[in-house]
Amino acid sequence: MDQPARGEGVRDDDAPAEHVRGEHAVTPSPDDRPRDKQLGELADRIVRVARRIEAHRFRDPLITPVSPLEALFLRYVDDHPGTSPGVLARDLMVRSSNASAGLRSLERKGLITRAADRDDARVTRLFVTDDARRATARVRAEWAHLLSELLPPSVNVAGALHVLELLDDAPAEREP
């Protein structure tokens, strides 16, 4: 049986071939894989990169630390000003008790405010504060610096951002 030539990988039906460059194995171009494998790899990479970004320790002392769940709530309220706690909990698929605890914490940190609805005082409306907007800008600046150190300038950031926007804007669940 012939051995693969140097620089060629051995292909397995379930795993992508690895091409050897120097002493480092390099995963083949995603274009060489079937779409379902590319999508599975994309999801896996999104989760891994998200964990890496969340593990980043902020250097800016003016950034108010929040938990990943609080950050999710803060983004939601920023994207949906005037939402109610119940709608937030429903849309983010979290228990109302967890939403309430997270929102109370964000309120104590000065990142959201609550206001009674003008038409129905029984309904509470949520809004981000100016402090939250400034903190978000600082967080994004640090993340931009982090990613700029990790990615070469030739990377198509706009294309990657477009794919992630499509995923983020897609309905949470699809009917079978």
Side-chain angles (χ1 to χ4, degrees):
M1 180 174 202
D2 290 332
Q3 295 278 346
R6 182 164 173 79
E8 290 181 355
V10 178
R11 190 157 195 105
D12 175 312
D13 288 341
D14 293 331
E18 290 186 351
H19 303 284
V20 177
R21 261 190 222 146
E23 295 184 21
H24 301 287
V26 177
T27 307
S29 163
D31 298 340
D32 295 345
R33 299 179 221 164
R35 182 174 168 80
D36 64 332
K37 291 195 186 244
Q38 290 179 35
L39 292 171
E41 178 72 13
L42 178 63
D44 182 53
R45 295 290 179 139
I46 289 169
V47 170
R48 289 166 44 190
V49 170
R51 287 186 180 139
R52 188 171 184 180
I53 292 170
E54 282 184 349
H56 174 72
R57 299 291 175 229
F58 295 111
R59 294 182 178 115
D60 186 335
L62 298 177
I63 293 175
T64 304
V66 296
S67 72
L69 192 59
E70 289 171 338
L72 180 66
F73 294 168
L74 195 55
R75 275 186 230 106
Y76 186 88
V77 173
D78 195 28
D79 290 343
H80 303 89
T83 193
S84 69
V87 170
L88 176 141
R90 182 198 68 214
D91 287 356
L92 297 179
M93 296 178 277
V94 296
R95 291 183 179 162
S96 60
S97 59
N98 292 346
S100 294
L103 292 170
R104 276 192 308 273
S105 177
L106 289 170
E107 193 173 19
R108 278 192 305 272
K109 293 174 182 178
L111 299 175
I112 65 163
T113 60
R114 297 174 192 254
D117 185 276
R118 284 185 260 179
D119 299 326
D120 185 349
R122 297 171 298 175
V123 177
T124 300
R125 300 290 173 195
L126 303 168
F127 301 92
V128 297
T129 64
D130 289 339
D131 285 346
R133 285 190 186 86
R134 284 189 290 274
T136 298
R138 289 174 177 280
V139 165
R140 288 187 176 178
E142 280 212 26
W143 284 346
H145 180 74
L146 171 68
L147 294 182
S148 72
E149 290 179 345
L150 300 174
L151 294 173
S154 61
V155 168
N156 180 356
V157 175
L161 182 58
H162 179 69
V163 169
L164 293 173
E165 287 169 342
L166 289 171
L167 289 169
D168 194 28
D169 294 342
E173 295 180 17
R174 292 186 176 242
E175 293 296 319

